[in-house]
Amino acid sequence: MITPTNFYQPGLPTAEQLANWANAYFPADAAAPLTAAAAPALDTVAGLSPTAFSPEYAPTSAPVSHNEWRKDFPILNERVNGGKPLVWLDNAATTQRPRQVIERLSYYYQHENSNVHRGAHELAARSTNAYEAARQKVADFIGAPSARNIVWVRGTTEGINLVAQAFVRPRLQAGDEIILTELEHHANIVPWQLVAAATGAVLRVAPINDAGEIILSAYENLFTPRTKFVAVAHVSNALGTITPVAELTAIAHRHGAPILVDGAQSVAHLPVNVAALGVDWFVFSGHKIFGPTGIGAVYGTDAGLKAAEPYQGGGNMIADVTFEKTQYQEYPAKFEAGTGNIADAVGLGAALDYVNAVGREKIAAYEHQLLGYTLEKLRGVKGLRIIGTAKEKASVAAFVLDRHSVEATGKFLSARGIALRAGHHCAQPAHRRFGLEGSVRPSIAFYNTREEIDFLVNALHELVRTINN
Ligand SMILES: Cc1ncc(COP(=O)(O)O)c(C=O)c1O
């Protein structure tokens, strides 16, 4: 149900905008157009499902065909599969890189390359400056109080493993509990199984409803005095659900449990502020936000980072070493053993600069419209079922098609130049919740256009016709 309260969340459309959308989308109602004053009661209009009026799905009449950002992404001009223009709808797997990032990497290797922190020469100073400036950019980008709260890692997976091993594992005893949810990526399941197996702790899983939303009452009911930690995705990579992180965090904290948020699928699509959300840990991957592969970041609170123990040892993370004893550096260095991925950290900094220059609110608003358009168009394909119909969604429009396997659909689309995922997307429990082993997953970014969505949908109509004839 849409209620006035969830209608008016900050950043979501106003009642006036919703009324405009409704009027544009249901021309049958043109004789009695909806007014802003009536908008809060829209879900009661006969014959209209709440989903159709959800802000996440509300279509708009504004043309969104022009896209000024595509020119920054050289790879979007590629031709594939015998000369077909590439339609990149696999953004949840990885995003493409703008030339600003590609050029920054090239500049680094041509003018700055050196190991960091230790060298007594100018290039060491240049690379250290670039590396630490990128750390500051990450902190600013996600609203962390300081660059000291940012640890470089290879990506979300390594970040979750770091928190699991360095912070959670030393605090667990047999019978302690960790809460996850049913919509998690395997990267936010398996690391917790490893610490559970090592300590005798137990995983408890909050269920999702038929729309793919976490059932908050069931989540809260899982907490017991033995709950030691919570780990949850901000956006589901399989269903697109945006989870209510602030609320999940408040509940966890009420029960004395710290929380980790897997931001792999949120940072590129939603403005994120870790301080405002109140989370204890936040992790994301550079390659999901137009940055290089092999680089990502962990945000931790000062208390969390101070309490966590190093889980890998080596150079860079030490203050003093003898054969008897090692003194560690302060955080974040104590978690960064060995030479880091310096160039790609710098490249990630450039990606965040790029996203800031485009404007995060602008990206979210554009994608919000494009996702609404995508979902509405997909619904028009005969025998297509959308998987994940949460009111709050980002980027992902997964579906299955009657009488067509996920794999065959993916192949058919790939032959037309459309790149997307067909499979379980490393979220088997989330799929099994819907009785599925996989889905076809277009996932959008701000450089995608309505024309690309039309192209996808027309290809699906064609596929359906082939079998039905
Ligand atoms: C929600 C979520 N968490 C974690 C990951 C793992 O990210 P990475 O492979 O970059 O470590 C992904 C990747 O798809 C994801 O979508």
Side-chain angles (χ1 to χ4, degrees), residues 9-275:
Q9 288 173 33
L12 291 180
T14 62
E16 192 177 357
Q17 283 169 314
L18 283 168
N20 287 342
W21 282 332
N23 290 323
Y25 189 63
F26 294 97
D29 294 328
L34 289 160
T35 61
L42 285 179
D43 57 323
T44 62
V45 177
L48 302 178
S49 71
T51 303
F53 277 112
S54 153
E56 290 305 315
Y57 294 104
T60 170
S61 54
V64 194
S65 54
H66 166 69
N67 188 320
E68 66 200 92
W69 304 297
R70 291 180 72 82
K71 65 176 182 345
D72 292 331
F73 293 82
I75 205 170
L76 297 180
N77 295 320
E78 279 302 293
R79 295 200 166 239
V80 293
N81 292 82
K84 314 260 178 353
L86 172 69
V87 175
W88 185 258
L89 291 172
D90 201 12
N91 294 290
T94 199
T95 54
Q96 297 301 349
R97 285 44 160 171
R99 65 184 159 70
Q100 288 84 340
V101 170
I102 299 166
E103 284 166 12
R104 185 66 188 89
L105 290 173
S106 171
Y107 183 91
Y108 175 82
Y109 283 120
Q110 291 185 62
H111 302 289
E112 297 164 318
N113 183 47
S114 163
N115 212 324
V116 288
H117 299 151
R118 298 179 280 255
H121 49 75
E122 164 135 1
L123 289 194
R126 286 188 200 172
S127 65
T128 302
N129 286 346
Y131 189 56
E132 293 306 328
R135 194 191 300 271
Q136 184 65 52
K137 286 174 196 208
V138 171
D140 294 342
F141 193 81
I142 60 170
S146 150
R148 280 166 49 92
N149 298 88
I150 305 299
V151 182
W152 292 123
V153 285
R154 274 193 300 140
T156 307
T157 304
E158 189 174 75
I160 295 172
N161 277 282
L162 187 156
V163 177
Q165 296 296 333
F167 179 73
V168 180
R169 181 176 168 164
R171 282 168 181 71
L172 290 179
Q173 308 213 322
D176 284 345
E177 293 163 359
I178 298 168
I179 295 179
L180 311 177
T181 83
E182 213 174 357
L183 53 66
E184 302 308 320
H185 187 281
H186 299 163
N188 203 24
I189 299 174
V190 184
W192 305 112
Q193 288 174 331
L194 290 172
V195 293
T199 58
V202 181
L203 303 187
R204 313 206 61 196
V205 182
I208 54 176
N209 63 21
D210 290 343
E213 296 159 331
I214 297 168
I215 302 169
L216 279 180
S217 54
Y219 165 76
E220 179 141 30
N221 283 342
L222 290 180
F223 285 85
T224 74
R226 303 232 46 184
T227 306
K228 290 294 183 310
F229 201 74
V230 178
V232 60
H234 197 178
V235 171
S236 156
N237 71 309
L239 309 171
T241 311
I242 303 174
T243 63
V245 163
E247 216 169 338
L248 297 170
T249 301
I251 292 170
H253 287 175
R254 234 179 10 251
H255 292 272
I259 185 168
L260 171 142
V261 172
D262 167 355
Q265 296 295 345
S266 65
V267 278
H269 306 290
L270 313 171
V272 171
N273 186 304
V274 290

Side-chain angles (χ1 to χ4, degrees), residues 385-451:
R385 175 180 155 212
I386 302 282
I387 308 304
T389 50
K391 288 195 193 83
E392 308 272 343
K393 276 182 64 129
S395 178
V396 170
F399 64 84
V400 288
L401 207 48
D402 266 0
R403 304 168 65 199
H404 298 273
S405 76
V406 159
E407 294 72 22
T409 307
K411 255 190 180 160
F412 179 88
L413 296 172
S414 170
R416 279 149 188 77
I418 301 169
L420 43 63
R421 265 298 160 95
H424 60 57
H425 330 309
C426 299
Q428 288 183 309
H431 278 93
R432 288 177 181 153
R433 164 64 178 76
F434 294 91
L436 299 168
E437 285 299 317
S439 62
V440 183
R441 184 189 65 180
S443 51
I444 59 162
F446 67 95
Y447 41 62
N448 290 120
T449 63
R450 285 186 171 210
E451 283 79 2

